[in-house]
Amino acid sequence: MSDDVRMTLAEVRALARSKLRAAGLAGDHADAVAETMVAGERDGCASHGIYRLLVAVKSLKARVVVPDATPVVSRPRPALVRVDGGGGFAQLAFERGLHPLVEATRTHGIAALALTNVVHFAALWPEVEAIATRGLAALAFTPSHAWVAPAGGTKPVFGTNPIAFGWPRPGAHPFVFDFATSAVARGEIELHRRAGKAVPDDWGYDAAGQSTTDAAAVLDGAMRTFGGHKGSALAAMVELLAGPLIGEMTSADSIAADDGRGGSPMGGELILAIDPAGFLGDAVAEHMVRAEAMFAAIEEQGARLPSARRYAARAVSEADGVMIPRALYDDITTLGDAA
């Protein structure tokens, strides 16, 4: 008997929506949140796939999230869009802000979207990909909970603080990357813990500040930044751009506001969008060709473009479905049974 359960993407979507609604999440939020989980499974990113149902439902039960929040869109300046998420998950707030952001970017050449008062647990690449498929370049930043020690320290200050970038490509999937400024995503450590697997000794510290290969000890202690002081500097940049700059929490503020409930991070997200035609006018096609020449030079020597692995996984999963670990599937299908 297989330890995995095969599911179509439609089945993943239906299961996610069902469990989110059963946990009390309003329908429009449940649909938006479920799509990010489907995207994670579809693209072979298990730590951002249906596993996140456990995370989202925990946040709902802990009342960290406002389940029926109504995002409110405003325009502080012509090229600035703000969406107050009302304490709900970030996905619906992003959906409501996407069209105004694209519209402002095409009008002004460059624009920014600030999501505030949201709860964020997902990867950023679906958001920058959505913008890049509309012909725009995009950058996104968000802090999280203070789980990560700065380089040279062993106590948490930063969140995992991801950075994502999207670049439009004519006739091809956008060029997209998304990485945490921590050594690894927190969800990856949690998946190791669930599987009883050790983690590399450079992923984090235990509560006493000692290096450890025990996933649970890292989760209780502090994660490390990637690349030492370089990742630490980028993490600080994310804290500033998606925290004080938009009037939102830092990762330390977020974990303090959580007050031990164990919910997902609260705060904000900053997204910048740039229209290549805004800078280049009629020369945009010429310079997009130059960008394609760079991508070709990378691939011709056998190197892989960021996002290529995800797109390859997407082609397979759209045809054949995805495999969910049996233990995770059982945990998800029994969510709410004890209620």
Side-chain angles (χ1 to χ4, degrees):
M1 181 176 173
S2 173
D3 287 335
D4 294 332
V5 177
R6 183 175 294 279
M7 301 180 70
T8 67
L9 295 179
E11 289 170 337
V12 172
R13 179 178 293 107
L15 178 60
R17 287 176 173 176
S18 172
K19 289 298 180 180
L20 290 166
R21 289 173 180 170
L25 192 61
D28 52 356
H29 280 281
D31 291 350
V33 170
E35 286 308 310
T36 66
M37 297 174 184
V38 172
E41 290 296 340
R42 179 198 66 199
D43 287 8
C45 302
S47 65
H48 288 285
I50 201 169
Y51 154 72
R52 295 281 168 158
L53 265 177
L54 304 178
V55 177
V57 170
K58 183 178 182 180
S59 292
L60 287 162
K61 288 183 175 179
R63 298 187 178 181
V64 170
V65 182
V66 177
D68 57 353
T70 300
V72 177
V73 180
S74 62
R75 299 288 287 269
R77 297 287 188 276
L80 301 181
V81 181
R82 177 185 290 270
V83 182
D84 184 332
F89 284 121
Q91 284 85 350
L92 187 61
F94 172 74
E95 283 190 6
R96 298 287 169 83
L98 177 58
H99 177 73
L101 173 66
V102 171
E103 180 183 65
T105 306
R106 288 179 175 151
T107 299
H108 301 286
I110 185 169
L113 168 62
L115 305 182
T116 61
N117 196 15
V118 294
V119 176
H120 213 303
F121 67 85
L124 296 177
W125 57 260
E127 298 174 5
V128 295
E129 184 177 330
I131 296 168
T133 57
R134 290 162 170 80
L136 308 175
L139 279 160
F141 315 89
T142 188
S144 57
H145 281 331
W147 287 318
V148 181
T154 59
K155 301 299 181 185
V157 174
F158 304 134
T160 53
N161 291 15
I163 296 170
F165 174 74
W167 177 267
R169 299 184 65 187
H173 288 300
F175 171 78
V176 172
F177 68 74
D178 177 348
F179 57 78
T181 53
S182 54
V184 66
R186 190 167 182 85
E188 190 65 32
I189 300 175
E190 175 61 21
L191 289 175
H192 276 68
R193 185 198 65 77
R194 289 177 57 85
K197 295 168 57 178
V199 299
D201 63 6
D202 59 354
W203 280 13
Y205 306 99
D206 63 20
Q210 301 300 310
S211 294
T212 179
T213 60
D214 185 325
V218 174
L219 294 172
D220 290 337
M223 300 164 63
R224 297 194 194 194
T225 58
F226 84 89
H229 68 281
K230 294 180 180 180
S232 192
L234 289 172
M237 178 189 74
V238 173
E239 293 283 340
L240 297 171
L241 289 176
L245 182 68
I246 61 172
E248 263 300 346
M249 297 184 188
T250 63
S251 296
D253 295 330
S254 175
I255 204 163
D258 181 78
D259 195 24
R261 289 175 289 177
S264 294
M266 298 169 277
E269 177 183 347
L270 177 66
I271 302 170
L272 306 177
I274 305 168
D275 184 1
F279 282 104
L280 300 169
D282 293 340
V284 66
E286 170 192 346
H287 292 286
M288 295 300 279
V289 168
R290 295 174 63 238
E292 290 301 306
M294 183 196 73
F295 295 138
I298 294 170
E299 293 181 310
E300 285 168 0
Q301 58 185 291
R304 176 176 60 83
L305 290 177
S307 69
R309 182 200 60 79
R310 289 196 300 101
Y311 294 139
R314 183 180 303 184
V316 173
S317 63
E318 287 178 339
D320 301 332
V322 295
M323 301 298 288
I324 309 298
R326 170 70 63 177
L328 175 59
Y329 178 81
D330 290 344
D331 285 347
I332 289 170
T333 55
T334 57
L335 270 176
D337 283 2

